[in-house]
Amino acid sequence: MAGGKETPRQKMIGMMYLVLTALLALNVSKSILDAFVTQDEQGLEQNTRIIESINGIGTKISLGMNDPQSKKSAEEIEPVYKDLRKMANEVDDHFHNQLNELFKNVEGREWFKKDEQSQITSLADEQFPLDKMGKKDDYDSPSNFFGGEPGSESYKRGEELRLKMAELRDKMILRVASEFKYQGKVYTISKNDLKDRKTFEAHLDETKNPKKDALLDIYRMLTKEETIKQHGEEKAWHIARFYHQPMVGVVGTMTSLRNDIRMAQQKASQMLLDRMDTPMMNINKVEAQVLANTQYLNMGDKLDVKIGIVAYDSSKIYPVKYRKGEEGDYTKADSGKITIEASSPGPQHMEGKLIVEIAGVEEERDWSFDYTVGKPSASVALPDLNVLYIGYPNKVRAVASGYPPDQVKVSCSGCSSFSKKGEDYIAQVRGSSDKATVTVSVDGKKIGFQEFRIFALPKAQPYFVGKSVETSVISASLVRAGSRLTAKLPNSPLNVDYDVVSFSMSAASKGKILTGGDARGSSLTSKMKNILKGLGKGDRVYFENVKLAGPDGKAYPVGGLAWKIK
């Protein structure tokens, strides 16, 4: 069967791996292998996001089956959605298993696992991330596993990948669009219409199919040309894709193909969802909810708790009426939020009405909330979790409500220093112990305490123009605007000051390696800035041997940064 042209995204991915493979063959830098690993991880993250979107469509269809207004249409499309899921899962399983088989041959173990229910792929063992591969640069094994001589088992194995995608393409399009009704008109697609992309597009134009764009997207994603040009020669698709592809690159190639499968499934599933009648309520979020008749327990009490789900439209605000107790007038809160004042201890009751729109009609739904206000008690809390960090001024907040401040004493056992600063206490610890205990006393009587673990500060990450290791591509204009490296703890509530002590920089441009040399401190040298000014699309820049110093002043290495210029 004739194939369709590769999409710009597919061409970009193919070109990216060709460039990386060429640089690898030249043994340019370990950073090249690290760049492969980064792109592999991003591909797997994208795969997870696509699958979560597909599963979300399934959830909406299931919810529609329980809504009187959308029940009939949801029941009609639900078996088709399941068929799409089954056929896509089977082909994706094949790609997943082939990749693991290759890893077993090369690394002696399967590297990935796939959850049967969610279909999400993850590492088979968290102790073996991609950068722990022993033979990242082995490019003979993939060539032999998916290539070889025509007619050989390995050749058939590689060719089968393309054939399975083409088979899935036809089955998926026919299952979702062989015959469907839109605005009173019936549209059909037959097997003969799919013999090649030109014939298929002509049929969609002739019939004025309203889903032309989505159907062509599915066709393009799952169509791989039987032969493609490589180095001026026509070669079988699978030979060109896997010849001299390093092991670390094969992960990205296979993940890219699996993403094509999932994006086609997502397109087809969305076409089904578009056919479902609008439900009585628009629901776009489903969350777990804990239901209990009280939120206050004394020692020895028992509490019955019910766990359920709540489904709602997160884009809407639901007004509410409320009152404290069972008598009196209601107060209305258009924002849907109310503030409860704990004015007296003991059991309390609040009730009201939630105003919602059901099938276009505004209705009121009763609600009630029972809670208990406790008497003053002592508590100790650490805003940055129950951990004290070595060499860092840890903030500790200790409260003894209901007691005069001059009678409250806060102390720390295991701290090297402990002093009051404003409303908080500053705790300093050393590495000589693995825990410390903060105690609150009133008139010599201990009324509360909290034990904290003692850890070293997490490792910081280097940043350049606000970008770090999570980013694989960067714009040329942004690179040229940079003048210094910075460092901080990623995704951390800790406000820790770090200094960049030293680093080196290099770049790959038009097949040449440009060395910027070493820099002391955080600022780029003039030579480094001149190199960055000359970089353009497709070039690469590397910051390596980055060393940082934290609050304790000790310098330590943190790796580096590698980006492709877009």
Side-chain angles (χ1 to χ4, degrees):
M1 181 177 292
K5 294 183 178 179
E6 288 188 323
T7 66
R9 186 183 67 83
Q10 292 167 332
K11 290 180 179 178
M12 179 192 71
I13 292 172
M15 182 61 69
M16 173 183 68
Y17 278 99
L18 280 174
V19 172
L20 288 174
T21 304
L23 291 173
L24 179 66
L26 295 173
N27 194 24
V28 173
S29 169
K30 176 181 177 296
S31 297
I32 301 299
L33 292 176
D34 294 338
F36 268 116
V37 171
T38 299
Q39 288 156 359
D40 293 345
E41 291 171 343
Q42 291 174 343
L44 289 169
E45 289 173 3
Q46 182 188 14
N47 186 264
T48 297
R49 289 193 296 270
I50 299 170
I51 292 171
E52 288 174 343
S53 174
I54 294 169
N55 294 341
I57 292 174
T59 299
K60 290 181 179 179
I61 294 174
S62 298
L63 292 171
M65 293 171 65
N66 295 317
D67 188 289
Q69 193 157 325
S70 57
K71 179 179 175 64
K72 182 179 178 182
S73 57
E75 288 178 342
E76 290 174 353
I77 65 175
E78 195 246 2
V80 184
Y81 170 83
K82 287 185 175 180
D83 286 347
L84 293 176
R85 178 183 172 92
K86 181 180 178 182
M87 61 179 68
N89 288 354
E90 288 176 351
V91 178
D92 185 73
D93 284 347
H94 177 77
F95 279 67
H96 170 78
N97 293 336
Q98 288 296 303
L99 183 59
N100 265 339
E101 187 66 27
L102 174 60
F103 267 92
K104 284 173 66 176
N105 291 347
V106 177
E107 298 284 344
R109 62 188 304 278
E110 294 185 351
W111 213 267
F112 303 97
K113 65 180 179 181
K114 184 176 171 185
D115 185 87
E116 185 176 352
Q117 181 63 31
S118 70
Q119 288 293 302
I120 291 176
T121 299
S122 59
L123 295 171
D125 190 335
E126 293 295 336
Q127 295 182 1
F128 289 92
L130 287 170
D131 59 8
K132 294 292 185 183
M133 289 169 53
K135 299 181 179 179
K136 294 191 190 76
D137 56 353
D138 178 357
Y139 50 81
D140 288 329
S141 295
S143 300
N144 296 331
F145 192 78
F146 290 115
E149 296 296 324
S152 66
E153 288 301 316
S154 59
Y155 189 94
K156 293 177 183 177
R157 181 187 294 114
E159 187 177 37
E160 188 179 21
L161 300 178
R162 180 183 63 83
L163 295 176
K164 279 189 174 291
M165 293 185 76
E167 181 184 8
L168 174 63
R169 175 197 66 200
D170 293 353
K171 290 169 63 177
M172 186 174 285
I173 291 176
L174 292 175
R175 186 66 182 98
V176 77
S178 60
E179 182 176 331
F180 71 96
K181 194 173 184 180
Y182 181 78
Q183 294 183 351
K185 183 178 178 180
V186 176
Y187 297 86
T188 60
I189 297 173
S190 68
K191 177 74 173 177
N192 288 335
D193 297 324
L194 302 174
K195 64 181 181 180
D196 57 51
R197 182 173 178 266
K198 185 177 180 180
T199 301
F200 185 43
E201 188 168 2
H203 173 75
L204 296 177
D205 287 336
E206 181 183 350
T207 58
K208 294 181 171 58
N209 194 300
K211 299 298 180 181
K212 172 187 172 182
D213 291 342
L215 290 167
L216 284 178
D217 282 343
I218 295 172
Y219 197 97
R220 283 192 291 262
M221 290 170 187
L222 298 178
T223 300
K224 308 301 174 187
E225 296 183 16
E226 188 172 349
T227 61
I228 57 178
K229 272 196 173 184
Q230 188 181 58
H231 307 305
E233 297 181 24
E234 286 287 338
K235 292 186 178 181
W237 171 83
H238 62 284
I239 296 294
R241 290 306 298 265
F242 295 102
Y243 179 70
H244 270 222
Q245 180 78 276
M247 280 295 295
V248 70
V250 170
V251 177
T253 298
M254 293 292 277
T255 303
S256 174
L257 296 172
R258 292 176 66 193
N259 286 348
D260 287 339
I261 293 168
R262 292 307 187 183
M263 284 191 288
Q265 181 191 358
Q266 183 187 41
K267 286 275 185 182
S269 299
Q270 184 61 48
M271 286 177 60
L272 289 177
L273 187 62
D274 292 343
R275 299 176 195 171
M276 190 173 76
D277 294 329
T278 303
M280 296 178 70
M281 287 187 67
N282 180 40
I283 295 173
N284 62 16
K285 198 162 189 177
V286 179
E287 294 180 339
Q289 186 180 55
V290 179
L291 303 174
N293 59 5
T294 182
Q295 295 187 9
Y296 186 92
L297 292 175
N298 291 312
M299 292 184 63
D301 288 350
K302 292 183 179 180
L303 177 65
D304 292 326
V305 177
K306 182 180 179 181
I307 312 297
I309 64 169
V310 56
Y312 62 97
D313 182 357
S314 62
S315 65
K316 280 189 172 292
I317 296 175
Y318 301 96
V320 64
K321 295 178 180 178
Y322 66 96
R323 66 186 179 192
K324 196 170 183 179
E326 298 178 346
E327 298 179 352
D329 296 331
Y330 289 106
T331 300
K332 187 177 180 181
D334 291 326
S335 65
K337 297 180 180 180
I338 60 176
T339 300
I340 299 175
E341 293 186 3
S343 54
S344 59
Q348 309 289 333
H349 174 79
M350 182 167 282
E351 62 183 26
K353 299 178 183 295
L354 180 68
I355 303 171
V356 296
E357 192 175 283
I358 306 294
V361 179
E362 195 174 272
E363 296 184 9
E364 294 184 349
R365 299 297 173 95
D366 293 334
W367 62 270
S368 63
F369 176 60
D370 294 311
Y371 62 99
T372 300
V373 177
K375 293 182 179 181
S377 60
S379 65
V380 178
L382 177 63
D384 299 333
L385 303 179
N386 62 330
V387 173
L388 298 178
Y389 292 103
I390 300 169
Y392 176 72
N394 301 275
K395 284 196 302 184
V396 179
R397 186 163 300 165
V399 179
S401 58
Y403 297 99
D406 58 348
Q407 295 181 15
V408 178
K409 181 181 179 182
V410 184
S411 59
C412 178
S413 172
C415 293
S416 58
S417 68
F418 192 77
S419 58
K420 189 171 178 60
K421 184 178 181 180
E423 295 183 355
D424 301 321
Y425 291 83
I426 303 300
Q428 295 277 5
V429 294
R430 299 192 180 99
S432 56
S433 178
D434 60 357
K435 66 179 180 179
T437 303
V438 175
T439 303
V440 179
S441 303
V442 175
D443 287 340
K445 181 180 179 181
K446 183 169 71 174
I447 61 171
F449 72 95
Q450 177 66 57
E451 186 174 273
F452 299 97
R453 295 165 294 166
I454 295 177
F455 287 143
L457 278 169
K459 294 291 185 182
Q461 287 183 190
Y463 285 79
F464 182 66
V465 290
K467 304 295 183 182
S468 190
V469 295
E470 296 84 4
T471 304
S472 61
V473 294
I474 190 169
S475 68
S477 60
L478 193 59
V479 165
R480 294 171 191 144
S483 62
R484 60 191 294 267
L485 263 65
T486 59
K488 65 179 181 179
L489 294 177
N491 303 316
S492 173
L494 301 178
N495 184 20
V496 185
D497 292 326
Y498 286 92
D499 295 320
V500 177
V501 177
S502 62
F503 65 95
S504 59
M505 193 207 83
S506 61
S509 177
K510 301 177 180 60
K512 295 182 179 180
I513 299 303
L514 309 176
T515 303
D518 300 325
R520 305 293 295 178
S522 62
S523 298
L524 273 65
T525 64
S526 298
K527 184 178 181 181
M528 292 176 179
K529 292 178 181 178
N530 289 333
I531 290 175
L532 295 182
K533 289 178 181 178
L535 297 182
K537 184 177 180 180
D539 294 340
R540 296 183 177 276
V541 60
Y542 310 99
F543 292 96
E544 300 173 303
N545 306 315
V546 181
K547 288 187 177 181
L548 306 178
D552 58 4
K554 297 179 180 178
Y556 62 94
V558 291
L561 304 168
W563 295 308
K564 179 180 179 181
I565 308 297
K566 64 177 180 179

